[in-house]
Amino acid sequence: MKILVTGGLGFIGSHTAVELQNEGYEVVIIDNCSNSSTDVLKGITAITGKTPIFEQFDLRDKLKVQDFFERHSDIAGVIHFAASKAVGESVEKPLLYYENNISVLVYILQELQKKEKTSFIFSSSCTVYGQADELPITENAPVKPAESPYGNTKQIGEEIIRDTCKVQPNLNAIALRYFNPIGAHPSAAIGELPIGVPQNLVPFITQTAIGLREQLSVFGDDYPTDDGTCIRDYIHVVDLAKAHVVALQRLIGAKNKTNFETFNVGTGTGSSVLEVINSFEKVAEQKLNYKIVSRRAGDIIAAYANTDKANNELGWKAKSSLDDALASAWKWEQKVRN
Ligand code: UD1
């Protein structure tokens, strides 16, 4: 069965391509390599023994999207990762974000509505909850006004899919709301490779430990949490990748039309920034150079998932610990730099 993975050379996309191939799916990747490299194909091949079909083009080119679906009329499902994801950049360049994250989604759905039956998995984010009123966060928690154009694209994206599913009997869709994906494949053949200075915590930690960055800044220790630093739900990217496969299988296996569904994908456990640093220092067997600085604008205090819905309805559960995830991130960083 042929599955299109857009953005399949990216961090989460590449790990999902591996899990799909491990489950016997034929993977077709579209990526414009704006934030990735074709070297990732070698990593996927090294792990699975199979090279996915790959087409390099920009999905904002609607004619190319149409042409692709005409040439690959046997695509049974789509996992759509291709999007921009830097919160700060989205504030500077909102139209870029609306074009990349919204126009492209529309173009793909327009092609899917021509098909007899199809399944669609959307990369959403826990950012849709903002600072939730109750922790852990369930899928029923209200969607809060978006703090950034990036966050808005995830909210609008979900709405577009929900509205489309209502009128398209042939389309079944799920949005996975990711918490904080970290780590790398245990083989260290693929992992996260941020371009420029990393904005996210874990790549900044590993780049500091390897000597690429002088010091990690911890953004605030005066939050109302036990140690004063913010709390997030850090999920191993391989666990997250597997969630995509089971979500896809749920849709492909469905005999009838399903309603559009959302699932939280996290571990269910919150960890503070200092807990992440402590865990990293333990698994990397070295001290990390960090200092406490002032808060980062827009950071929420705490977010972690209630994962009951994914556990019960998808039969999926995150398996890896924070230590495992950080050890894999560290192994990857060492491999990349050496
Ligand atoms: C951020 C986005 C989120 C997006 C995700 C995509 C914000 C507010 N949220 O998540 O919408 O989906 O990235 O990757 O931007 N930290 C430090 N020092 C650093 C980097 C981070 O102390 O150098 C802290 C942050 O303050 C935060 C935690 O580490 O408490 C995690 O930060 P990060 O990895 O950027 O993820 P989010 O902010 O949760």
Side-chain angles (χ1 to χ4, degrees):
M1 203 176 255
K2 206 191 249 187
I3 306 298
L4 169 62
V5 181
T6 72
L9 299 186
F11 175 42
I12 308 171
S14 58
H15 288 83
T16 302
V18 163
E19 297 306 322
L20 285 168
Q21 293 200 155
N22 283 344
E23 289 294 314
Y25 291 98
E26 185 178 9
V27 173
V28 185
I29 289 175
I30 299 174
D31 202 303
N32 67 358
C33 296
S34 61
N35 196 22
S36 61
S37 137
T38 50
D39 286 347
V40 175
L41 284 171
K42 293 180 200 145
I44 296 171
T45 308
I47 297 166
T48 62
K50 202 172 171 233
T51 308
I53 301 167
F54 171 60
E55 296 202 12
Q56 182 169 352
F57 70 91
D58 195 311
L59 290 155
R60 288 175 294 179
D61 188 332
K62 187 174 178 170
L63 293 177
K64 285 198 178 146
V65 176
Q66 285 172 347
D67 172 66
F68 173 86
F69 278 96
E70 275 163 23
R71 285 185 291 109
H72 295 274
S73 58
D74 54 343
I75 296 265
V78 177
I79 307 186
H80 180 42
F81 294 101
S84 301
K85 59 149 214 167
V87 176
E89 183 189 47
S90 79
V91 176
E92 306 288 323
K93 301 175 186 166
L95 293 179
L96 175 71
Y97 275 66
Y98 289 116
E99 188 180 33
N100 273 343
N101 296 10
I102 301 296
S103 301
V104 167
L105 172 65
V106 171
Y107 299 160
I108 292 172
L109 291 175
Q110 282 172 332
E111 294 311 305
L112 293 186
Q113 69 180 3
K114 298 175 188 165
K115 296 175 87 67
E116 244 166 59
K117 179 179 185 283
T118 192
S119 304
F120 185 75
I121 309 289
F122 180 62
S123 294
S124 191
S125 166
C126 69
T127 194
V128 301
Y129 300 118
Q131 179 58 69
D133 302 321
E134 282 172 37
L135 294 169
I137 304 171
T138 71
E139 289 81 355
N140 294 326
V143 169
K144 293 272 177 79
E147 297 267 353
S148 69
Y150 161 75
N152 211 20
T153 64
K154 294 301 172 189
Q155 299 192 0
I156 298 169
E158 287 192 9
E159 292 303 325
I160 289 171
I161 301 163
R162 183 174 289 111
D163 289 344
T164 309
C165 279
K166 276 184 202 153
V167 294
Q168 286 298 324
N170 51 349
L171 175 67
N172 286 340
I174 285 177
L176 298 179
R177 293 175 172 168
Y178 311 155
F179 281 68
N180 289 58
I182 61 165
H185 195 269
S187 64
I190 53 172
E192 189 172 12
L193 208 48
I195 292 173
V197 181
Q199 305 297 311
N200 296 112
L201 178 64
V202 170
F204 207 105
I205 288 177
T206 55
Q207 288 196 9
T208 304
I210 206 90
L212 270 181
R213 311 278 156 211
E214 175 77 28
Q215 190 174 50
L216 169 76
S217 296
V218 173
F219 298 135
D221 69 347
D222 56 351
Y223 285 96
T225 61
D226 284 349
D227 65 22
T229 62
C230 293
I231 292 174
R232 297 287 184 275
D233 184 337
Y234 296 93
I235 175 169
H236 195 303
V237 66
V238 173
D239 280 328
L240 175 58
K242 288 181 173 160
H244 291 79
V245 178
V246 293
L248 182 76
Q249 284 167 339
R250 175 183 177 86
L251 296 184
I252 287 174
K255 292 216 165 48
N256 300 315
K257 167 84 184 150
T258 60
N259 291 324
F260 173 61
E261 295 176 292
T262 56
F263 290 95
N264 286 342
V265 189
T267 65
T269 303
S271 305
S272 72
V273 177
L274 292 179
E275 282 171 338
V276 174
I277 293 172
N278 285 339
S279 167
F280 178 81
E281 288 181 334
K282 184 174 72 183
V283 298
E285 299 175 335
Q286 62 169 275
K287 285 283 167 202
L288 188 77
N289 184 19
Y290 72 90
K291 71 165 182 224
I292 310 287
V293 302
S294 52
R295 293 181 177 194
R296 178 172 73 176
D299 266 340
I300 55 166
I301 305 163
Y304 52 95
N306 176 316
T307 60
D308 290 351
K309 190 176 172 196
N311 298 163
N312 297 333
E313 293 185 29
L314 295 179
W316 167 93
K317 203 172 180 12
K319 291 201 179 92
S320 292
S321 66
L322 180 64
D323 287 355
D324 294 338
L326 289 168
S328 70
W330 180 227
K331 184 176 172 189
W332 164 248
E333 186 73 61
Q334 289 172 292
K335 189 207 137 176
V336 169
R337 306 302 160 191
N338 296 332

